Amino acid sequence: MDEVLLRSLIPGVLGVLVRRGADFAAAEDAVQDALVEALRVWPADPPRDPKGWLVTAAWRKFLDAARSDAARRRREELLDEEPAPGPAPAVDDTLRLYFLCAYPSLTPASAVALTLRAVGGLTTRQIAAAYLVPEATMAQRISRAKRTVSGVRFDRPGDVATVLRVLYLVFNEGYSGDVDLAAEAIRLTRRLAAVIDHPEVAGLLALMLLHHARRAARTAPGGGLVPLAEQDRGRWDTAAIAEGVEILQAALARDRLGEFQAQAAIAALHADAPTAEETDWVQIVEWYDELARLTDSPVVRLNRAVAVGEADGPRAGLAALAEVDASVPRHAAVAAYLHERDGDPVTAARLYAEAAEKAPNLAERAHLTRQAARLNSRLR
């Protein structure tokens, strides 16, 4: 197959899809899918009109994706604003798709990326941001995953750990406000907990409930981001917190600690504090130590630096932060906060402005910009 020919056709095919009404990002994904199909089909059955073949295949891929996205949005609209507590029916087609896309022949990372794209409805950019990799790298990973499963009969479900990872990332994306998928992720995790008796499934459900309980207090009336320490705790959903804590305690009692249980324990300590000043930061640092041992995640070590700064003072927090790669997202924002608490407003203002430029969403960017402006006004 002439791959040079394939590459040369991409701009023209993209142009046709955009003229037909597809937005550019969706058109790119559809063309990418069509190219994967061409690599599979053309060697045995080369088309007489390569560009026409690609246009037809890409347009069908676009329509399939659009229908899938519309169906997902209809499911979201059927949900109540807050997930209902209690047991859920065991059968769910969407959850089954999550398991099928977590195909055994794929690496866990590729299976998660493919499932987020194909079933979760996230864009390649959003998935790349969740994995802390460039968008082009994630696009290649998804393409390889699609190529691996192309033509495969999906009759062997993947493992629970991969599905949990997908649900966790979908919830995080929904919770950020970019895509409102948090309630859908909770609904699916409830269904998973109803059919699988595993402490990490329970840990993830508890974690979601404890975070979702604070959702109403995370934004101001004008849409601005409200940090945890400044949130009106009277707006937190106490029923969701109580349910999350109960589920977590039962999971921890089984003595099979996993990362989702550890994260839920941290969220529970925040939820248990009547005020920000009464937060048990020492115990939170201990849980971050457990979480770091389980995951060795740079994001965990970044959050741990904040907790150390609260428990042992900003100098200790900055020392912990020095061990974290500065390229980790939100590193500058954490450094700004710790420098401000350490009495260095000049450095803090500069770092808040730097963090605002790198913010992943508009709400966070606006918040960090206000922080920088607040300190700069005091320095004049």
Side-chain angles (χ1 to χ4, degrees), residues 9-216:
L9 294 173
I10 291 174
V13 176
L14 272 173
V16 172
L17 265 64
V18 171
R19 286 194 295 275
R20 288 185 179 182
D23 67 80
F24 190 78
E28 277 190 317
D29 286 340
V31 171
Q32 187 181 88
D33 291 344
L35 291 174
V36 172
E37 185 72 7
L39 289 170
R40 185 179 69 86
V41 172
W42 286 13
D45 185 19
R48 278 182 283 186
D49 178 9
K51 181 179 178 180
W53 190 99
L54 278 175
V55 167
T56 300
W59 184 246
R60 287 173 180 167
K61 298 288 186 184
F62 166 74
L63 291 177
D64 288 343
R67 292 188 191 105
S68 175
D69 186 61
R72 175 180 59 77
R73 291 183 184 280
R74 282 196 297 272
R75 289 197 300 271
E76 291 175 26
E77 290 169 1
L78 292 174
L79 296 172
D80 292 331
E81 185 175 346
E82 295 297 326
V91 179
D92 187 275
D93 288 341
T94 305
L95 189 57
R96 183 170 180 271
L97 286 174
Y98 272 68
F99 272 95
L100 292 178
C101 284
Y103 197 70
S105 62
L106 296 172
T107 64
S110 294
V112 170
L114 177 61
T115 313
L116 288 170
R117 185 72 189 91
V119 186
L122 274 64
T123 65
T124 303
R125 177 187 59 79
Q126 290 167 327
I127 301 168
Y131 268 91
L132 311 182
V133 299
E135 184 174 351
T137 301
M138 183 54 67
Q140 291 173 356
R141 184 180 298 177
I142 294 172
S143 291
R144 286 195 298 269
K146 289 177 179 177
R147 195 176 302 125
T148 299
V149 302
S150 180
V152 171
R153 181 180 177 185
F154 285 87
D155 55 0
R156 290 188 295 154
D159 68 324
V160 175
T162 300
V163 174
L164 288 179
R165 177 64 49 192
V166 174
L167 289 169
Y168 173 67
L169 291 173
V170 169
F171 176 81
N172 278 349
E173 192 62 42
Y175 196 63
S176 74
D178 293 331
V179 181
D180 190 6
L181 292 173
E184 171 73 351
I186 292 176
R187 184 182 72 85
L188 292 172
T189 307
R190 282 192 188 281
R191 293 182 182 274
L192 186 59
V195 295
I196 296 179
D197 182 21
H198 192 287
E200 271 294 82
V201 177
L204 178 58
L205 178 57
L207 175 64
M208 289 178 174
L209 289 169
L210 289 164
H211 276 302
H212 203 71
R214 302 199 303 259
R215 189 171 186 178

Side-chain angles (χ1 to χ4, degrees), residues 321 324-329 331-332 354 358:
L321 183 64
V324 182
D325 191 324
S327 65
V328 175
H331 187 285
E354 178 185 324
K358 301 175 181 177

